[in-house]
């Protein structure tokens, strides 16, 4: 009885203290503890930014982390940028300011998913700061979920899948894949040697295009008469269009549009600039290879209208989606759902895009409307599927729509500007591809983001209540532990 009375008295005292603190907030933790909490908060945000989470996802996860750390959000000011994160925490007499620099930028969907789960788990399990820091440090150490050759092979076949979407035959599919595998391995090697990322991008694109050109000689060059018939391709130039698409920065492109739509203008502009530099480096490497090979106008004249059956589109889309998932270090358990997502997105896009005007089955509404339809449909499906697989929407939606990113349109536009000789036709060709690529990217990003935004808003109260319930449960357990100790 005496222990029960002490426990009730402690709860009453805690409630009275909370009421008094509502009028005047006073930091109860020591300066060392506050600084440590702020450092953990910034480390969590930097890890998400370095792994290419969009800014809205970062802010959402950090709000849960703030609740776990016991920091009062109304006294905390957070600044999130592409390269640096800063936080200030204060009361009437104290002020603490910390900042942390983002040292690298990679794409790791597994870490984004695991950090999101950690923000919930830390509250549910009432982790100590030491336990939270240990898990966060483990996540910060990049783990290779796939071997370098597995990633290279996955990226190579992803480019081969793109080639099928452009209308090549299956012989060219393998030529594009082999060229992309070797080009990607070169890119990885140059990155490990510390070469500038844009220089490495240009060199890798140049080498991949040269290898694809060598394969084309088996079908149209002087070697064609000496090679077996099964090595001949009816579309020998298509691999040159697709072999370097492993470089196309699809995640930064979509994150850029998402950040701009959500009001994170500065971070969005930085992502857009980085994307433009990568695409420019890739275009320069491809243009140089084409000049050396002496190929005339294949970039401008080569038709990209496919004439395959939809089961072939489905196979190519699944291969591309899984291949890019491996590049993005997506957990292996998500590969099959992402492959299915890629099939739905690409086949929907093709059905709306293609039609009688180009000798295909479909609605004949054009690639812009088709890309919007495909991305909206798969995003709506994933808003439900993310709960089945307990992973953020971004980790499923972005790899699924990557096979629709218009990489060829982007570097066709840049190639036209590089080759510009003053003719009006060339200027119009470059502008046409640039505008078309921009609209397709915008539609893909809108299609991915808008359904998720609306569904998230509908579920915001439910998520908020879940967070409140988790915090109340943690407080209840803490009080029980304190009562038991008394």
């Amino acid at each position: 009885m005496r222990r029960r009375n002490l426990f009730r008295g402690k709860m009453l005292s805690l409630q009275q203290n909370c009421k008094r603190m509502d009028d005047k907030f006073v930091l109860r933790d020591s300066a060392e503890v506050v600084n440590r909490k702020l450092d953990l908060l910034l480390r969590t945000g930097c890890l998400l930014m370095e792994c290419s989470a969009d800014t809205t996802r970062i802010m959402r996860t950090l709000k849960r982390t703030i609740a776990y750390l016991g920091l009062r959000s109304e006294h905390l000011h957070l600044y999130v940028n592409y390269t640096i994160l800063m936080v200030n925490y204060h009361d009437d007499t104290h002020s603490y300011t910390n900042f942390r620099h983002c040292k690298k930028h990679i794409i790791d969907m597994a870490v984004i998913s695991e950090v999101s789960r950690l923000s919930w788990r830390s509250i549910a399990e009432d982790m100590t700061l030491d336990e939270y820091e240990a898990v966060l440090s483990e996540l910060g150490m990049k783990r290779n979920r796939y071997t370098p050759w597995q990633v290279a092979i996955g990226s190579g076949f992803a480019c081969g899948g793109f080639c099928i979407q452009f209308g090549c035959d299956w012989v060219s599919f393998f030529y594009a894949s082999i060229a992309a595998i070797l080009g990607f391995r070169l890119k990885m090697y140059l990155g490990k040697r510390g070469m500038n990322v844009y220089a490495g991008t240009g060199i890798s694109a140049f080498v991949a295009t040269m290898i694809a050109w060598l394969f084309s000689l088996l079908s149209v060059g002087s070697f064609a008469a000496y090679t077996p018939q099964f090595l001949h391709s009816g579309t020998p130039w298509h691999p040159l269009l697709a072999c370097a698409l492993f470089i196309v920065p699809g995640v930064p492109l979509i994150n850029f549009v998402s950040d701009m739509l959500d009001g994170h203008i500065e971070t969005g502009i930085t992502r857009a600039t980085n994307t433009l530099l990568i695409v420019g480096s890739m275009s320069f490497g491809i243009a140089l290879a084409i000049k050396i090979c002496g190929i005339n106008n294949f970039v401008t004249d080569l038709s990209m209208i496919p004439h395959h059956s939809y089961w072939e589109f489905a196979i190519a889309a699944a291969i591309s989606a899984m291949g890019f998932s491996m590049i993005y270090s997506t957990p292996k358990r998500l590969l099959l759902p992402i492959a299915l997502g890629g099939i739905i997105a690409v086949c929907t896009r093709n059905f709306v895009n293609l039609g009688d005007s180009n000798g295909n089955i479909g609605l004949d509404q054009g690639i812009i409307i088709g890309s919007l339809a495909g991305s909206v449909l798969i995003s709506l499906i994933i808003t439900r599927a993310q709960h089945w697989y307990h992973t953020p929407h971004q980790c499923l939606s972005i790899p699924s729509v990557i096979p629709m990113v218009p990489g060829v349109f982007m570097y066709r536009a840049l190639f036209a500007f590089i080759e510009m000789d003053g003719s009006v036709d060339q200027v119009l060709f470059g502008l046409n591809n640039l505008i078309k690529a921009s609209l397709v990217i915008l539609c893909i990003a809108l299609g991915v983001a808008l359904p998720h935004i609306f569904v998230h808003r509908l579920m915001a109260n439910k998520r908020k209540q879940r967070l409140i319930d988790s915090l109340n449960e943690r407080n209840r357990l803490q009080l029980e532990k304190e009562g038991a100790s008394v």
Side-chain angles (χ1 to χ4, degrees), residues 130 276 357:
D130 289 335
L276 184 61
S357 65

Side-chain angles (χ1 to χ4, degrees), residues 32-324:
E32 181 181 359
V33 173
V34 172
N35 279 314
R36 186 182 183 192
K37 288 182 176 181
L38 296 180
D39 181 65
L40 289 174
L41 180 66
L42 291 179
R43 284 176 60 184
T44 303
C46 278
L47 184 58
L48 289 170
M49 181 63 77
E50 290 174 349
C51 292
S52 298
D54 63 89
T55 309
T56 300
R57 161 62 56 184
I58 295 172
M59 297 299 295
R60 192 180 304 147
T61 304
L62 290 183
K63 286 179 181 179
R64 293 196 294 268
T65 307
I66 289 169
Y68 154 70
L69 294 172
L71 302 171
R72 295 181 59 143
S73 58
E74 64 268 27
H75 295 276
L76 186 144
H77 304 281
L78 187 63
Y79 172 76
V80 177
N81 190 269
Y82 188 71
T83 56
I84 193 169
L85 275 73
M86 293 188 289
V87 63
N88 174 264
Y89 192 55
H90 64 89
D91 64 1
D92 292 337
T93 56
H94 307 85
S95 181
Y96 300 89
T97 301
N98 286 20
F99 64 90
R100 180 172 284 268
H101 181 70
C102 299
K103 299 178 182 179
K104 58 183 179 180
H105 289 279
I106 59 174
I107 302 174
D108 197 322
M109 295 295 177
V111 169
I112 295 173
S113 178
E114 289 168 7
V115 171
S116 178
R117 285 203 297 270
L118 175 62
S119 65
W120 290 106
R121 206 180 87 195
S122 59
I123 298 173
E125 298 180 5
D126 191 20
M127 288 184 174
T128 64
L129 295 181
D130 289 335
E131 291 172 339
Y132 184 89
E133 185 175 16
V135 176
L136 192 66
S137 298
E138 183 181 357
L139 293 178
M141 299 173 62
K142 187 175 184 298
R143 293 172 292 176
N144 294 322
R145 294 167 184 83
Y146 307 95
T147 66
W149 275 108
Q150 284 176 334
V151 177
I153 292 171
S155 67
F157 282 109
C159 293
F162 266 117
C163 201
I164 293 294
Q165 301 295 335
F166 301 154
C168 81
D169 55 28
W170 287 97
V171 175
S172 287
F173 164 86
F174 287 103
Y175 289 159
S177 299
I178 295 171
I181 289 170
L182 298 177
F184 190 85
R185 281 298 288 146
L186 176 62
K187 185 176 181 292
M188 296 175 72
Y189 174 79
L190 295 176
K192 286 186 177 181
R193 290 294 179 180
M195 177 171 283
N196 178 275
V197 62
Y198 304 116
T201 297
I203 294 172
S204 302
F206 171 80
V207 171
T209 306
M210 290 295 295
I211 295 172
W213 172 73
L214 292 175
F215 280 125
S216 71
L217 299 180
L218 299 177
S219 301
V220 298
S222 57
F223 295 102
Y226 303 100
T227 55
Q229 188 63 36
F230 70 89
L231 293 178
H232 289 186
S233 169
T235 55
W237 303 117
H238 281 73
L240 279 77
L241 287 173
C243 65
L245 291 182
F246 60 84
I247 298 171
V248 171
V251 174
L253 271 173
I254 295 174
N255 283 344
F256 141 65
V257 178
S258 178
D259 283 351
M260 298 292 281
L261 293 174
D262 289 336
H264 306 289
I265 306 299
E266 188 177 355
T267 305
I269 291 174
T270 305
R271 293 187 198 268
T273 304
N274 180 55
T275 297
L276 184 61
L277 289 172
I278 292 174
V279 175
S281 302
M282 180 186 76
S283 301
F284 180 81
I286 294 171
L288 181 61
I290 290 172
K291 278 293 184 184
I292 292 176
C293 298
I295 304 171
N296 296 321
N297 295 327
F298 97 96
V299 173
T300 57
D301 296 340
L302 188 64
S303 173
M304 293 194 304
I305 298 175
H307 294 281
H308 295 293
S309 58
Y310 275 86
W311 69 265
E312 291 178 291
F313 290 143
I315 293 174
I319 291 172
S320 293
M322 287 193 294
F324 278 101

Side-chain angles (χ1 to χ4, degrees), residues 3 6-7 10-11 14 475-486:
R3 181 174 297 177
L6 286 173
F7 176 59
K10 199 161 190 176
M11 288 185 66
L14 179 62
N475 292 336
R476 185 185 67 79
L477 292 174
Q478 288 176 344
L479 288 172
E480 287 181 355
K481 288 180 183 178
E482 291 176 1
S485 64
V486 173

Side-chain angles (χ1 to χ4, degrees), residues 441-453:
I441 293 167
L442 179 62
C443 287
I444 291 173
L446 282 172
V448 169
L450 290 181
H452 177 55
I453 290 172

